[in-house]
């Protein structure tokens, strides 16, 4: 089941989660979107009450905190990604963390053709059909060196976010990532929600930014709106099932957030964005005046 997000955190909504749990619910996957943390206490309370394990997808929220505890440490299992776009980068690959010894052994076995690699175990003996999810020492070395700098990497992103927040403060109809109470977002990516009053959807804004040499990205599409996930929607109108996702998605734009960005580049992006919005606003206003004049 694909469940709605919270309007403020852009992460799984506790209310929507509670309403969507059925007898068939086997696990809850929680995503820390764009470096944000969800309302973890509310989510873990629901998971515990229903005795359903939580899997934390912390691919985007590595380095984020909730009540001082790191993203990825809340569920039965937490997963991270180290692919080229993420906060900590090792080319490709990722990591699974758990406190559960049985899950740990099973994951280790699945990652290596279903073979048990514990000392004394039979060599080359597959216990189950597995995968080849092996990580090289070179990648691990890259990752470990960055892990030492994790706070610095988070600080870079947070600094960029604050530059955006300062520059865009007071521009009507815009809002940026919000931090859930008790949490520290990494602001892995700074995203802006643009009021629909501007009459611009995310794709148009990204195109306009591109024309000015700026690489923005559209906010994610609701999974339920894409073909491979239709079978999970059981013929339901997902716009009414997940109204917040469908209301926000068309109007969100991810702004350039690379660690190497300087304040002057952020200023340039903000000026371009404001100019794009003002132009569209003016066009709409003049169109409205025209209609009024005709009447
Ligand atoms: C990047 C990302 C993934 C995928 O990570 P891979 O390392 O490419 O497997 C999964 N979930 C979220 C939320 C991500 O942002």
């Amino acid at each position: 089941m694909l469940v709605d997000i919270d309007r403020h955190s852009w992460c799984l909504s506790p209310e929507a989660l509670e309403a969507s749990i059925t007898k068939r619910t086997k696990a809850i996957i929680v995503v820390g979107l764009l470096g944000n943390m969800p309302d973890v206490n509310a989510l873990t309370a629901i998971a515990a009450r229903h005795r359903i394990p939580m899997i934390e997808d912390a691919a985007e929220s590595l380095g984020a905190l909730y009540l001082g505890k790191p993203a990825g440490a809340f569920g039965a299992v937490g997963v991270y990604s180290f692919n080229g776009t993420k906060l900590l980068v090792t080319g490709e690959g990722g990591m699974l963390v758990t406190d559960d010894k049985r899950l740990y052994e099973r994951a280790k076995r699945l990652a290596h053709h279903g073979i048990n690699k514990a000392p004394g175990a039979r060599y080359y003996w597959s216990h189950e059909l597995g995968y080849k999810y092996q990580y090289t020492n070179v990648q691990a070395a890259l990752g470990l060196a960055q892990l030492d700098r994790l706070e610095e990497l988070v600080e870079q992103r947070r600094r960029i976010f604050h530059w955006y927040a300062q520059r865009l403060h007071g521009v009507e109809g815009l809002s940026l990532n919000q931090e859930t109470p008790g949490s520290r977002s990494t602001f892995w990516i700074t995203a802006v929600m643009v009021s629909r009053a501007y009459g611009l959807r995310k794709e148009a804004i990204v195109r306009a930014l591109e024309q000015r040499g700026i690489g923005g990205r559209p906010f994610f599409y609701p999974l339920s709106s894409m073909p491979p996930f239709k079978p999970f929607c059981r013929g339901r109108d997902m716009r009414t099932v997940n109204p917040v996702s469908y209301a926000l998605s068309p109007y969100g734009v991810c702004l350039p957030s690379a660690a190497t960005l300087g304040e002057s580049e952020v200023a340039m992006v903000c000026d371009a964005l404001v100019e794009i919005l003002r132009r569209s606003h003016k066009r709409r206003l003049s169109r409205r005046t025209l209609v009024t004049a005709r009447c």
Side-chain angles (χ1 to χ4, degrees):
M1 189 63 223
L2 299 160
V3 181
D4 210 2
I5 55 168
D6 173 76
R7 179 171 297 284
H8 305 290
S9 70
W10 302 335
C11 300
L12 182 60
S13 149
E15 295 75 32
L17 169 66
E18 181 89 73
S20 69
I21 289 177
T22 69
K23 282 200 212 68
R24 298 175 57 211
T25 310
K26 292 207 172 83
I28 299 162
I29 301 179
V30 183
V31 180
L33 206 81
L34 306 185
N36 290 1
M37 286 302 282
D39 184 346
V40 178
N41 271 359
L43 294 174
T44 45
I46 295 167
R49 189 155 7 97
H50 293 271
R51 296 171 192 279
I52 301 171
M54 202 166 87
I55 297 167
E56 212 190 335
D57 181 343
E60 300 180 10
S61 55
L62 170 65
L65 302 170
Y66 181 85
L67 300 181
K69 207 168 142 179
F74 294 96
V77 164
V79 292
Y80 305 95
S81 165
F82 306 139
N83 88 29
T85 65
K86 299 289 153 66
L87 192 74
L88 189 159
V89 176
T90 67
E92 281 293 351
M95 188 165 71
L96 181 153
V97 294
T98 181
D99 288 329
D100 183 325
K101 187 103 168 68
R102 264 186 40 245
L103 284 176
Y104 168 78
E105 301 291 354
R106 179 94 197 279
K108 221 169 148 68
R109 201 165 76 185
L110 283 172
H112 190 78
H113 312 292
I115 294 171
N116 184 357
K117 298 239 289 175
R122 211 191 313 187
Y123 276 110
Y124 311 129
W125 185 263
S126 285
H127 295 268
E128 61 185 320
L129 209 52
Y131 309 90
K132 191 184 175 194
Y133 287 164
Q134 289 170 76
Y135 202 55
T136 67
N137 293 345
V138 177
Q139 287 171 293
L142 279 174
L144 283 170
Q146 286 171 77
L147 205 53
D148 286 340
R149 292 176 52 215
L150 187 61
E151 278 303 303
E152 184 191 334
L153 299 176
V154 171
E155 269 318 302
Q156 285 172 337
R157 293 310 215 278
R158 289 185 61 86
R159 199 177 315 133
I160 291 167
F161 172 85
H162 287 294
W163 288 334
Y164 275 121
Q166 276 167 8
R167 298 259 166 191
L168 296 174
H169 182 76
V171 181
E172 217 179 313
L174 292 191
S175 60
L176 301 177
N177 314 42
Q178 292 176 43
E179 282 180 306
T180 304
S183 79
R184 178 189 75 172
S185 173
T186 61
F187 300 126
W188 168 59
I189 285 181
T190 297
V192 63
M193 276 297 155
V194 177
S195 163
R196 56 188 302 169
Y198 283 107
L200 283 175
R201 291 167 76 93
K202 58 185 174 184
E203 292 88 353
I205 298 174
V206 169
R207 259 199 314 277
L209 285 171
E210 225 160 63
Q211 283 162 3
R212 291 161 175 78
I214 296 165
R217 292 284 185 276
F219 205 72
F220 292 118
Y221 294 92
L223 289 182
S224 59
S225 67
M226 296 187 281
F229 300 98
K230 288 291 175 213
F232 303 103
C233 305
R234 298 184 208 123
R236 295 204 279 169
D237 176 7
M238 295 307 282
R239 292 179 169 279
T240 57
V241 179
N242 295 337
V244 178
S245 305
Y246 281 83
L248 295 186
S249 168
Y251 301 103
V253 175
C254 296
L255 300 173
S257 303
T260 50
L261 277 189
E263 190 169 4
S264 61
E265 286 159 311
V266 168
M268 196 186 84
V269 175
C270 293
D271 291 347
L273 178 67
V274 169
E275 189 229 336
I276 291 162
L277 298 179
R278 293 236 161 97
R279 270 192 190 196
S280 166
H281 195 51
K282 218 182 276 168
R283 250 196 327 270
R284 270 165 75 87
L285 283 182
S286 63
R287 215 179 298 143
R288 207 173 298 158
T289 324
L290 210 65
V291 175
T292 324
R294 266 198 213 128
C295 300

